[in-house]
Amino acid sequence: MANNFFEYFKSDKYDKKIILKSSDKNYSVSDVKNLLKNGYFGCNENFQIILNAIKNVLDDKEYIFHFSTSGSTSNKGKIVEKNLLNFVLECNDLTKQLNLNKYVNLEFHTTTTLNHIYGFSYHFMLPLLSGNVINIDRINYPEDVNFENAVLITTPSFLDMMKRYNVKPKNKLKIIMMAGAKIKDDLYKFAETISDKVIDIYGSTETNTIGFRESSNTNKLTLLDGVEILSCNEKGTTIKTKYSIQNIQNIGDRIKPDGRNFEILGRMDRTLKIQEKRIDLNILENKIKENEMASDCFCFEYKNKVACLMVPTEIGKKAVFNEGKIEVIKKLKKFLKDDFEIIPQRWKFYDEIPINERGKINKEKINELFNLNLSLPLILNSKIEKEKASFELCFLSDSNFFKGHFENFPILAGVVQLFYADFFIKRAFKIDCHKGQIRKIKFSNIIRPNKKVQLNLIKNEKNVSFEYIDNNKAYSGGVFPIKNYFVG
């Protein structure tokens, strides 16, 4: 096993060793040397980051890597510096404490990118420094998870999608490593059905890894050997770490230590002051999730008020469908008013809390949902695959786009159907389509309020076709030409 980059490249000893793979090619150390010598244009994003990193540290042993934090509700992101030694120490400790040496030629796959600390540490540094193999192709869809002798570097949101669609790989994974958000017990147990080993990683951009747990049967995590908890109180936690240039770090989580184990009690940076009154959003969210109509939620400040994006349970969906959004919101407010002086004034119902590629809550996407001038349809079910997607939708009678269209006989306007076809294309496939160039548009039947319809999407290289249907009855359809791909 090599202990750093230089052992692979300072002689020809490792030239035949395969260190990178893609769907159509294996790359030995010798192949990587040639790429670094002759250029590597046209590589995918993760491959480009890997080659750039190797080149930078070979050119300069003291090279400093720069990573951007995602920020929080109370501060903006910042740039954090790391050096090669930080990663070497972290990965050596991970290899020892996770007992990775008992495996041979593990192939590391990822659903994340390497331009943030989690992907960089676990999909690049860890396999390289533990003598294993990096697969450079990013996984975008659950059905793509099907490999032998594999490690999956992922997030709880991706595993949740696998669980929701009941996608289980044909070949059981050796290890799943996940980070980004707190994982629910039922999701952890699902992960344990598709992998021999499941590791929940806890850390941050500033600290790198702090600790991990390897079982759904405990909430306690184990500190990585290079980390020491110096103090912890209601204001947060101070640690000392070998995995950062600045080895004393303050983190916004309250931690309860127990020797070399610890529990995470919650974050400190989610207290808002609204109308001269303070509210802890963590406590508010936990209370909302006690209601039988709420599966999940995210609360935040929106235009000087508290807003809530809520994922309804099946009971909640039935209530919204039968009683309307306004009545359900009234019930939720009544449920909260005895416990809180400040309660959410703006509510939206969605089928998921949007997550970014880091596995963190996507606050920009949530703000976009609240900034929409149109009411959101009720999403009853959804399934997203590589080339197709389907959404079961209900355009509720109290939606604002039915007002004035028409007064005595409301129908869903064609422009609203096109808007939401484009909206769900972006969500499903992360692509942008040409505006104003929709082809083969056909409106066959009218969609009335509270009608359940299915939006089907089929993608190829040049366009995405859509259709609104109900069983065998077609309502509308057309084709959106693809403008460009993006990560959203």
Side-chain angles (χ1 to χ4, degrees):
M1 182 181 77
N3 292 317
N4 56 52
F5 283 110
F6 306 106
E7 288 194 32
Y8 280 130
F9 297 98
K10 67 183 180 182
S11 70
D12 60 2
K13 178 179 178 181
Y14 293 98
D15 271 5
K16 293 184 179 180
K17 178 175 175 55
I18 302 298
I19 58 172
L20 306 175
K21 281 187 178 182
S22 69
S23 59
D24 56 3
K25 186 174 180 180
N26 294 342
Y27 295 86
S28 66
V29 172
S30 177
D31 293 327
V32 173
K33 287 178 179 178
N34 289 332
L35 285 170
L36 295 175
K37 179 180 179 181
N38 299 317
Y40 42 90
F41 300 104
C43 300
N44 69 39
E45 181 185 28
N46 280 351
F47 199 8
Q48 190 87 24
I49 292 171
I50 289 169
L51 293 172
N52 283 342
I54 293 173
K55 182 179 186 301
N56 287 332
V57 295
L58 290 177
D59 290 343
D60 178 8
K61 295 180 181 180
E62 305 302 321
Y63 183 81
I64 300 296
F65 297 96
H66 294 89
F67 299 90
S68 174
T69 67
S70 57
S72 69
T73 54
S74 60
N75 60 67
K76 295 182 179 179
K78 61 182 179 181
I79 300 299
V80 176
E81 295 183 341
K82 303 282 180 179
N83 59 34
L84 181 61
L85 180 61
N86 295 146
F87 293 107
V88 170
L89 292 173
E90 177 190 38
C91 293
N92 285 346
D93 286 344
L94 285 168
T95 300
K96 180 180 68 174
Q97 288 186 252
L98 299 179
N99 200 21
L100 296 183
N101 283 329
K102 78 173 187 177
Y103 301 95
V104 178
N105 289 326
L106 287 170
E107 189 169 324
F108 280 62
H109 298 259
T110 189
T111 65
T112 71
T113 68
L114 277 70
N115 56 14
H116 55 83
I117 200 79
Y118 171 53
F120 196 84
S121 288
Y122 283 85
H123 185 236
F124 171 38
M125 287 290 185
L126 183 57
L128 186 69
L129 295 172
S130 60
N132 291 294
V133 179
I134 304 166
N135 191 296
I136 60 176
D137 296 326
R138 181 181 174 186
I139 297 170
N140 293 305
Y141 300 95
E143 63 267 29
D144 291 337
V145 180
N146 192 21
F147 312 100
E148 295 182 0
N149 202 37
V151 178
L152 179 64
I153 307 300
T154 189
T155 62
S157 58
F158 189 88
L159 290 173
D160 185 61
M161 187 161 53
M162 293 184 71
K163 178 176 177 289
R164 195 188 323 161
Y165 301 157
N166 194 31
V167 175
K168 294 190 175 183
K170 183 178 179 181
N171 298 304
K172 197 172 186 181
L173 296 161
K174 293 294 184 183
I175 305 172
I176 289 176
M177 297 183 184
M178 55 188 167
K182 185 177 180 179
I183 185 168
K184 296 178 181 178
D185 290 342
D186 63 335
L187 186 56
Y188 204 123
K189 291 182 189 301
F190 168 79
E192 290 174 327
T193 68
I194 62 173
S195 179
D196 293 336
K197 190 172 189 176
V198 180
I199 304 168
D200 184 15
I201 304 295
Y202 171 65
S204 70
T205 304
E206 294 92 338
T207 64
N208 283 39
T209 305
I210 296 174
F212 61 90
R213 65 171 172 148
E214 299 178 85
S215 172
S216 61
N217 295 324
T218 179
N219 289 322
K220 290 186 177 181
L221 292 89
T222 301
L223 285 170
L224 207 56
D225 283 346
V227 179
E228 178 184 354
I229 297 176
L230 299 180
S231 66
C232 48
N233 51 47
E234 291 301 309
K235 296 181 179 180
T237 304
T238 301
I239 69 166
K240 183 177 182 181
T241 176
K242 295 179 181 179
Y243 316 135
S244 182
I245 292 175
Q246 296 187 0
N247 63 349
I248 304 298
Q249 293 284 345
N250 296 312
I251 55 178
D253 287 326
R254 292 179 294 116
I255 282 177
K256 180 181 178 181
D258 179 15
R260 293 298 294 172
N261 297 321
F262 65 96
E263 290 185 61
I264 303 169
L265 302 180
R267 289 199 62 80
M268 299 303 304
D269 59 0
R270 300 202 64 216
T271 300
L272 290 183
K273 190 174 183 180
I274 304 287
Q275 300 171 5
E276 301 305 315
K277 297 174 183 177
R278 294 186 182 277
I279 181 163
D280 187 317
L281 297 181
N282 291 311
I283 296 174
L284 177 62
E285 289 171 356
N286 288 335
K287 182 63 178 179
I288 292 170
K289 286 185 280 190
E290 289 178 10
N291 191 287
E292 65 176 2
M293 293 189 291
S295 171
D296 201 359
C297 66
F298 177 74
C299 295
F300 66 109
E301 184 177 3
Y302 181 77
K303 297 183 178 179
N304 298 316
K305 294 183 179 180
V306 178
C308 178
L309 181 68
M310 191 184 98
V311 179
T313 59
E314 290 303 315
I315 292 174
K317 291 175 187 177
K318 289 179 182 178
V320 173
F321 177 77
N322 293 323
E323 303 172 38
K325 290 175 290 186
I326 295 174
E327 288 303 314
V328 170
I329 291 170
K330 285 181 181 178
K331 288 183 178 181
L332 290 166
K333 287 182 176 180
K334 183 178 180 180
F335 176 76
L336 297 172
K337 72 174 185 177
D338 290 338
D339 295 298
F340 300 92
E341 291 184 281
I342 300 294
I343 60 176
Q345 296 301 308
R346 293 290 305 274
W347 296 76
K348 283 188 181 286
F349 302 113
Y350 207 49
D351 66 327
E352 65 177 13
I353 304 299
I355 301 296
N356 62 25
E357 62 187 23
R358 300 180 182 213
K360 305 285 188 179
I361 290 175
N362 192 331
K363 297 161 193 170
E364 290 184 3
K365 183 64 67 176
I366 292 173
N367 269 295
E368 287 177 15
L369 293 176
F370 276 79
N371 288 334
L372 276 179
N373 291 325
L374 294 178
S375 301
L376 287 170
L378 178 63
I379 305 170
L380 299 169
N381 285 295
S382 65
K383 185 167 185 180
I384 300 170
E385 300 176 274
K386 187 181 297 185
E387 305 294 341
K388 61 183 180 179
S390 63
F391 298 88
E392 186 182 0
L393 307 173
C394 179
F395 295 92
L396 299 165
S397 59
D398 56 4
S399 299
N400 59 11
F401 42 71
F402 284 121
K403 295 179 181 178
H405 199 273
F406 296 96
E407 185 174 349
N408 296 319
F409 191 75
I411 64 173
L412 186 65
V415 66
V416 176
Q417 297 178 48
L418 296 177
F419 175 86
Y420 277 114
D422 184 45
F423 177 93
F424 286 106
I425 286 171
K426 286 187 174 77
R427 171 172 158 179
F429 305 124
K430 296 180 173 59
I431 59 178
D432 195 10
C433 293
H434 288 287
K435 295 289 195 288
Q437 298 185 23
I438 309 168
R439 303 195 305 266
K440 300 180 181 178
I441 301 176
K442 185 177 181 180
F443 295 96
S444 305
N445 291 283
I446 60 174
I447 299 176
R448 298 273 283 142
N450 286 353
K451 179 65 181 176
K452 295 179 183 178
V453 296
Q454 185 161 303
L455 172 63
N456 290 332
L457 307 173
I458 299 177
K459 177 176 72 73
N460 59 38
E461 291 183 0
K462 296 183 178 180
N463 54 55
V464 181
S465 63
F466 75 93
E467 63 173 352
Y468 289 93
I469 64 170
D470 171 21
N471 295 322
N472 294 322
K473 185 176 182 179
Y475 292 91
S476 64
V479 176
F480 283 82
I482 293 173
K483 182 178 180 181
N484 63 275
Y485 289 76
F486 64 93
V487 176

